[in-house]
Amino acid sequence: MLALAHSLTLGLVSPPAPDGVRSHTPSMSLAIRNRFQLQTYLPFVLEGSMFSQPRLTEKEALNELRKGYNRELVSDFGMQRPFQVGGRFLAMAQACLAVLSVWDEAQQTRGAVLRKELSKLGPCAVKAGQTLSQRPDLIPADICEELKLLQTENEPFDNLVAQRVISEEFGHTGPIAPNLPPLNGVSIGAKPLFAHLSADPIASASLGQVYRGATHEGVEVAVKVQRPDALRQCLLDGCVVIAVLSALQGKWGAGDLLEIFDTIAHGVVQVQMSCLSRGR
């Protein structure tokens, strides 16, 4: 896996050899021609190896993100989990290949495939798709129209998983509601948490989904459940984007790519933290 990470890094940041200059081994060439980027990526592989334990937990990262977006925080989280970051990188690469394979086909097909792949990638990709849907100056109109569906149509996750999350968050050991089958391991004789809870979500978004419920006092409530591992996935995806933009910095576009990403990420983090706070 370390070899794979090393080859991916070389593929991202190693420039071609100048004309007339014979390239030596890739690692030596990279060290000579791009020492700064080698220093950027080498700690990612070494510090995050299987021999080091993650120092920054998801809970700690969440507490820090409540104060605002921090690029170093995201990078540090990913450095300590290189295999997971590598997995997200490969997932993104597969999604890109799937979209490129149908890009020249019918317009309706390519838009639908792009929306499906973004939805599969998770919250960050969905947020990116929602943002792009409002920018017909950047992408074709047919793609914009298809991506607008991400505002209202998101694939919900399994209801049993959501019910388990609800039970754990409330510390409840009994049934969720009388109308729902009891989860494995619960105390059947205990009082249900809700008087009623819809079996399926009434809405599904990039970060979670919402169920309609009622308390034993007859008060109707909306129960919002965050997607499992949503925060972890956002942090890992952010780390991948930061790594790629660091490699592209100065090679593509005239602006500061990392600064642009930081501005977008800051706004996304604010929205997501607000949603999590309202969901408590």
mmCIF file of all heavy atoms in Angstrom, residues 145-175:
data_model
loop_
_atom_site.group_PDB
_atom_site.id
_atom_site.type_symbol
_atom_site.label_atom_id
_atom_site.label_comp_id
_atom_site.label_asym_id
_atom_site.label_seq_id
_atom_site.Cartn_x
_atom_site.Cartn_y
_atom_site.Cartn_z
ATOM 1 N N GLU A 145 -29.189 21.229 -15.007
ATOM 2 C CA GLU A 145 -30.565 20.806 -14.734
ATOM 3 C C GLU A 145 -30.587 19.462 -13.997
ATOM 4 O O GLU A 145 -31.375 19.255 -13.086
ATOM 5 C CB GLU A 145 -31.361 20.714 -16.039
ATOM 6 C CG GLU A 145 -31.672 22.057 -16.666
ATOM 7 C CD GLU A 145 -32.430 22.976 -15.727
ATOM 8 O OE1 GLU A 145 -33.419 22.513 -15.119
ATOM 9 O OE2 GLU A 145 -32.045 24.148 -15.593
ATOM 10 N N GLU A 146 -29.715 18.556 -14.403
ATOM 11 C CA GLU A 146 -29.679 17.242 -13.758
ATOM 12 C C GLU A 146 -29.158 17.352 -12.327
ATOM 13 O O GLU A 146 -29.666 16.700 -11.415
ATOM 14 C CB GLU A 146 -28.800 16.297 -14.570
ATOM 15 C CG GLU A 146 -28.866 14.840 -14.130
ATOM 16 C CD GLU A 146 -30.210 14.188 -14.413
ATOM 17 O OE1 GLU A 146 -30.830 14.529 -15.438
ATOM 18 O OE2 GLU A 146 -30.634 13.339 -13.592
ATOM 19 N N LEU A 147 -28.148 18.192 -12.121
ATOM 20 C CA LEU A 147 -27.558 18.327 -10.788
ATOM 21 C C LEU A 147 -28.497 19.032 -9.815
ATOM 22 O O LEU A 147 -28.349 18.883 -8.595
ATOM 23 C CB LEU A 147 -26.234 19.085 -10.868
ATOM 24 C CG LEU A 147 -25.086 18.370 -11.584
ATOM 25 C CD1 LEU A 147 -23.803 19.199 -11.506
ATOM 26 C CD2 LEU A 147 -24.851 16.984 -10.990
ATOM 27 N N LYS A 148 -29.454 19.791 -10.330
ATOM 28 C CA LYS A 148 -30.423 20.449 -9.450
ATOM 29 C C LYS A 148 -31.249 19.436 -8.676
ATOM 30 O O LYS A 148 -31.784 19.736 -7.609
ATOM 31 C CB LYS A 148 -31.343 21.367 -10.257
ATOM 32 C CG LYS A 148 -30.664 22.647 -10.711
ATOM 33 C CD LYS A 148 -31.607 23.512 -11.532
ATOM 34 C CE LYS A 148 -30.905 24.792 -11.995
ATOM 35 N NZ LYS A 148 -31.785 25.644 -12.823
ATOM 36 N N LEU A 149 -31.339 18.217 -9.207
ATOM 37 C CA LEU A 149 -32.080 17.159 -8.513
ATOM 38 C C LEU A 149 -31.393 16.771 -7.205
ATOM 39 O O LEU A 149 -32.027 16.180 -6.329
ATOM 40 C CB LEU A 149 -32.226 15.937 -9.418
ATOM 41 C CG LEU A 149 -33.065 16.128 -10.687
ATOM 42 C CD1 LEU A 149 -33.041 14.858 -11.533
ATOM 43 C CD2 LEU A 149 -34.499 16.502 -10.329
ATOM 44 N N LEU A 150 -30.096 17.088 -7.081
ATOM 45 C CA LEU A 150 -29.391 16.791 -5.834
ATOM 46 C C LEU A 150 -29.915 17.637 -4.681
ATOM 47 O O LEU A 150 -29.672 17.320 -3.512
ATOM 48 C CB LEU A 150 -27.887 17.045 -6.004
ATOM 49 C CG LEU A 150 -27.129 16.086 -6.921
ATOM 50 C CD1 LEU A 150 -25.703 16.564 -7.127
ATOM 51 C CD2 LEU A 150 -27.131 14.674 -6.345
ATOM 52 N N GLN A 151 -30.638 18.727 -5.014
ATOM 53 C CA GLN A 151 -31.219 19.566 -3.969
ATOM 54 C C GLN A 151 -32.374 18.864 -3.274
ATOM 55 O O GLN A 151 -32.630 19.090 -2.095
ATOM 56 C CB GLN A 151 -31.733 20.885 -4.576
ATOM 57 C CG GLN A 151 -30.703 21.681 -5.347
ATOM 58 C CD GLN A 151 -29.776 22.470 -4.445
ATOM 59 O OE1 GLN A 151 -29.922 22.465 -3.231
ATOM 60 N NE2 GLN A 151 -28.818 23.152 -5.041
ATOM 61 N N THR A 152 -33.055 17.990 -4.008
ATOM 62 C CA THR A 152 -34.269 17.366 -3.458
ATOM 63 C C THR A 152 -34.230 15.843 -3.468
ATOM 64 O O THR A 152 -34.968 15.210 -2.718
ATOM 65 C CB THR A 152 -35.502 17.826 -4.273
ATOM 66 O OG1 THR A 152 -35.298 17.524 -5.663
ATOM 67 C CG2 THR A 152 -35.707 19.325 -4.119
ATOM 68 N N GLU A 153 -33.400 15.255 -4.314
ATOM 69 C CA GLU A 153 -33.373 13.802 -4.438
ATOM 70 C C GLU A 153 -32.002 13.257 -4.051
ATOM 71 O O GLU A 153 -31.061 13.333 -4.828
ATOM 72 C CB GLU A 153 -33.716 13.369 -5.874
ATOM 73 C CG GLU A 153 -35.109 13.768 -6.320
ATOM 74 C CD GLU A 153 -35.409 13.297 -7.732
ATOM 75 O OE1 GLU A 153 -34.627 12.478 -8.261
ATOM 76 O OE2 GLU A 153 -36.404 13.757 -8.308
ATOM 77 N N ASN A 154 -31.895 12.738 -2.838
ATOM 78 C CA ASN A 154 -30.669 12.100 -2.385
ATOM 79 C C ASN A 154 -31.007 10.683 -1.928
ATOM 80 O O ASN A 154 -32.019 10.454 -1.254
ATOM 81 C CB ASN A 154 -30.055 12.876 -1.218
ATOM 82 C CG ASN A 154 -29.374 14.143 -1.668
ATOM 83 O OD1 ASN A 154 -28.239 14.128 -2.128
ATOM 84 N ND2 ASN A 154 -30.088 15.268 -1.555
ATOM 85 N N GLU A 155 -30.158 9.748 -2.289
ATOM 86 C CA GLU A 155 -30.391 8.353 -1.935
ATOM 87 C C GLU A 155 -30.328 8.193 -0.416
ATOM 88 O O GLU A 155 -29.305 8.486 0.203
ATOM 89 C CB GLU A 155 -29.339 7.471 -2.588
ATOM 90 C CG GLU A 155 -29.624 5.985 -2.470
ATOM 91 C CD GLU A 155 -30.795 5.540 -3.321
ATOM 92 O OE1 GLU A 155 -31.132 6.246 -4.296
ATOM 93 O OE2 GLU A 155 -31.365 4.484 -3.008
ATOM 94 N N PRO A 156 -31.429 7.758 0.211
ATOM 95 C CA PRO A 156 -31.395 7.580 1.675
ATOM 96 C C PRO A 156 -30.584 6.351 2.061
ATOM 97 O O PRO A 156 -30.424 5.427 1.271
ATOM 98 C CB PRO A 156 -32.869 7.404 2.039
ATOM 99 C CG PRO A 156 -33.495 6.814 0.809
ATOM 100 C CD PRO A 156 -32.757 7.416 -0.353
ATOM 101 N N PHE A 157 -30.051 6.370 3.285
ATOM 102 C CA PHE A 157 -29.360 5.182 3.764
ATOM 103 C C PHE A 157 -30.353 4.288 4.495
ATOM 104 O O PHE A 157 -31.513 4.656 4.719
ATOM 105 C CB PHE A 157 -28.161 5.547 4.650
ATOM 106 C CG PHE A 157 -28.485 6.380 5.863
ATOM 107 C CD1 PHE A 157 -28.774 5.781 7.081
ATOM 108 C CD2 PHE A 157 -28.472 7.763 5.800
ATOM 109 C CE1 PHE A 157 -29.041 6.527 8.202
ATOM 110 C CE2 PHE A 157 -28.742 8.527 6.919
ATOM 111 C CZ PHE A 157 -29.030 7.913 8.123
ATOM 112 N N ASP A 158 -29.914 3.104 4.869
ATOM 113 C CA ASP A 158 -30.798 2.069 5.397
ATOM 114 C C ASP A 158 -31.543 2.527 6.659
ATOM 115 O O ASP A 158 -30.948 3.110 7.561
ATOM 116 C CB ASP A 158 -29.975 0.819 5.719
ATOM 117 C CG ASP A 158 -30.850 -0.365 6.066
ATOM 118 O OD1 ASP A 158 -31.314 -1.047 5.140
ATOM 119 O OD2 ASP A 158 -31.074 -0.588 7.267
ATOM 120 N N ASN A 159 -32.847 2.257 6.695
ATOM 121 C CA ASN A 159 -33.677 2.671 7.830
ATOM 122 C C ASN A 159 -33.249 2.007 9.138
ATOM 123 O O ASN A 159 -33.304 2.618 10.210
ATOM 124 C CB ASN A 159 -35.151 2.356 7.558
ATOM 125 C CG ASN A 159 -35.741 3.265 6.496
ATOM 126 O OD1 ASN A 159 -35.505 4.471 6.498
ATOM 127 N ND2 ASN A 159 -36.508 2.688 5.587
ATOM 128 N N LEU A 160 -32.834 0.751 9.068
ATOM 129 C CA LEU A 160 -32.396 0.061 10.285
ATOM 130 C C LEU A 160 -31.144 0.709 10.862
ATOM 131 O O LEU A 160 -30.988 0.805 12.083
ATOM 132 C CB LEU A 160 -32.149 -1.422 9.996
ATOM 133 C CG LEU A 160 -33.378 -2.277 9.677
ATOM 134 C CD1 LEU A 160 -32.963 -3.721 9.381
ATOM 135 C CD2 LEU A 160 -34.364 -2.236 10.847
ATOM 136 N N VAL A 161 -30.270 1.160 9.987
ATOM 137 C CA VAL A 161 -29.068 1.867 10.442
ATOM 138 C C VAL A 161 -29.473 3.169 11.122
ATOM 139 O O VAL A 161 -28.949 3.536 12.182
ATOM 140 C CB VAL A 161 -28.121 2.143 9.262
ATOM 141 C CG1 VAL A 161 -26.935 3.004 9.714
ATOM 142 C CG2 VAL A 161 -27.623 0.835 8.667
ATOM 143 N N ALA A 162 -30.413 3.888 10.515
ATOM 144 C CA ALA A 162 -30.886 5.148 11.092
ATOM 145 C C ALA A 162 -31.523 4.920 12.458
ATOM 146 O O ALA A 162 -31.291 5.683 13.409
ATOM 147 C CB ALA A 162 -31.887 5.808 10.147
ATOM 148 N N GLN A 163 -32.311 3.863 12.569
ATOM 149 C CA GLN A 163 -32.956 3.572 13.852
ATOM 150 C C GLN A 163 -31.930 3.220 14.919
ATOM 151 O O GLN A 163 -32.069 3.597 16.090
ATOM 152 C CB GLN A 163 -33.957 2.437 13.670
ATOM 153 C CG GLN A 163 -35.161 2.802 12.816
ATOM 154 C CD GLN A 163 -36.016 1.609 12.465
ATOM 155 O OE1 GLN A 163 -35.994 0.575 13.148
ATOM 156 N NE2 GLN A 163 -36.772 1.707 11.380
ATOM 157 N N ARG A 164 -30.876 2.522 14.516
ATOM 158 C CA ARG A 164 -29.813 2.187 15.462
ATOM 159 C C ARG A 164 -29.107 3.455 15.947
ATOM 160 O O ARG A 164 -28.774 3.588 17.128
ATOM 161 C CB ARG A 164 -28.815 1.239 14.806
ATOM 162 C CG ARG A 164 -27.664 0.809 15.687
ATOM 163 C CD ARG A 164 -28.129 -0.044 16.857
ATOM 164 N NE ARG A 164 -28.622 -1.348 16.416
ATOM 165 C CZ ARG A 164 -29.125 -2.261 17.245
ATOM 166 N NH1 ARG A 164 -29.204 -1.998 18.551
ATOM 167 N NH2 ARG A 164 -29.571 -3.418 16.785
ATOM 168 N N VAL A 165 -28.881 4.392 15.020
ATOM 169 C CA VAL A 165 -28.253 5.664 15.388
ATOM 170 C C VAL A 165 -29.136 6.425 16.375
ATOM 171 O O VAL A 165 -28.649 6.973 17.378
ATOM 172 C CB VAL A 165 -27.994 6.527 14.134
ATOM 173 C CG1 VAL A 165 -27.545 7.937 14.527
ATOM 174 C CG2 VAL A 165 -26.947 5.876 13.246
ATOM 175 N N ILE A 166 -30.445 6.464 16.118
ATOM 176 C CA ILE A 166 -31.377 7.142 17.025
ATOM 177 C C ILE A 166 -31.315 6.520 18.406
ATOM 178 O O ILE A 166 -31.229 7.215 19.427
ATOM 179 C CB ILE A 166 -32.816 7.069 16.464
ATOM 180 C CG1 ILE A 166 -32.929 7.870 15.172
ATOM 181 C CG2 ILE A 166 -33.819 7.593 17.498
ATOM 182 C CD1 ILE A 166 -34.258 7.705 14.464
ATOM 183 N N SER A 167 -31.349 5.201 18.456
ATOM 184 C CA SER A 167 -31.320 4.490 19.735
ATOM 185 C C SER A 167 -30.044 4.802 20.508
ATOM 186 O O SER A 167 -30.075 5.063 21.718
ATOM 187 C CB SER A 167 -31.444 2.986 19.486
ATOM 188 O OG SER A 167 -31.427 2.267 20.696
ATOM 189 N N GLU A 168 -28.910 4.805 19.817
ATOM 190 C CA GLU A 168 -27.635 5.062 20.488
ATOM 191 C C GLU A 168 -27.512 6.505 20.937
ATOM 192 O O GLU A 168 -26.992 6.787 22.014
ATOM 193 C CB GLU A 168 -26.484 4.694 19.539
ATOM 194 C CG GLU A 168 -26.380 3.195 19.270
ATOM 195 C CD GLU A 168 -25.315 2.857 18.233
ATOM 196 O OE1 GLU A 168 -24.743 3.821 17.646
ATOM 197 O OE2 GLU A 168 -25.052 1.663 18.015
ATOM 198 N N GLU A 169 -27.995 7.434 20.118
ATOM 199 C CA GLU A 169 -27.892 8.853 20.471
ATOM 200 C C GLU A 169 -28.717 9.178 21.711
ATOM 201 O O GLU A 169 -28.316 9.993 22.543
ATOM 202 C CB GLU A 169 -28.354 9.722 19.298
ATOM 203 C CG GLU A 169 -27.362 9.799 18.158
ATOM 204 C CD GLU A 169 -26.093 10.534 18.554
ATOM 205 O OE1 GLU A 169 -26.185 11.555 19.266
ATOM 206 O OE2 GLU A 169 -25.003 10.087 18.153
ATOM 207 N N PHE A 170 -29.875 8.552 21.835
ATOM 208 C CA PHE A 170 -30.729 8.797 22.995
ATOM 209 C C PHE A 170 -30.387 7.879 24.169
ATOM 210 O O PHE A 170 -30.948 8.031 25.259
ATOM 211 C CB PHE A 170 -32.207 8.605 22.618
ATOM 212 C CG PHE A 170 -32.799 9.770 21.879
ATOM 213 C CD1 PHE A 170 -32.814 9.811 20.493
ATOM 214 C CD2 PHE A 170 -33.356 10.836 22.585
ATOM 215 C CE1 PHE A 170 -33.364 10.889 19.816
ATOM 216 C CE2 PHE A 170 -33.917 11.920 21.917
ATOM 217 C CZ PHE A 170 -33.918 11.949 20.525
ATOM 218 N N GLY A 171 -29.485 6.931 23.941
ATOM 219 C CA GLY A 171 -29.144 5.992 24.996
ATOM 220 C C GLY A 171 -30.333 5.132 25.396
ATOM 221 O O GLY A 171 -30.471 4.744 26.563
ATOM 222 N N HIS A 172 -31.166 4.830 24.422
ATOM 223 C CA HIS A 172 -32.402 4.079 24.690
ATOM 224 C C HIS A 172 -32.188 2.593 24.424
ATOM 225 O O HIS A 172 -31.637 2.218 23.383
ATOM 226 C CB HIS A 172 -33.528 4.617 23.803
ATOM 227 C CG HIS A 172 -34.877 4.045 24.101
ATOM 228 N ND1 HIS A 172 -35.556 4.310 25.269
ATOM 229 C CD2 HIS A 172 -35.671 3.217 23.374
ATOM 230 C CE1 HIS A 172 -36.710 3.672 25.253
ATOM 231 N NE2 HIS A 172 -36.804 2.997 24.112
ATOM 232 N N THR A 173 -32.631 1.755 25.339
ATOM 233 C CA THR A 173 -32.432 0.309 25.193
ATOM 234 C C THR A 173 -33.696 -0.438 24.794
ATOM 235 O O THR A 173 -33.665 -1.654 24.622
ATOM 236 C CB THR A 173 -31.903 -0.275 26.515
ATOM 237 O OG1 THR A 173 -32.843 0.000 27.563
ATOM 238 C CG2 THR A 173 -30.552 0.324 26.881
ATOM 239 N N GLY A 174 -34.790 0.290 24.643
ATOM 240 C CA GLY A 174 -36.048 -0.345 24.266
ATOM 241 C C GLY A 174 -36.391 -0.118 22.802
ATOM 242 O O GLY A 174 -35.560 0.369 22.020
ATOM 243 N N PRO A 175 -37.608 -0.449 22.389
ATOM 244 C CA PRO A 175 -38.043 -0.240 21.007
ATOM 245 C C PRO A 175 -38.047 1.250 20.649
ATOM 246 O O PRO A 175 -38.199 2.110 21.521
ATOM 247 C CB PRO A 175 -39.460 -0.822 20.987
ATOM 248 C CG PRO A 175 -39.529 -1.730 22.173
ATOM 249 C CD PRO A 175 -38.635 -1.131 23.209
#
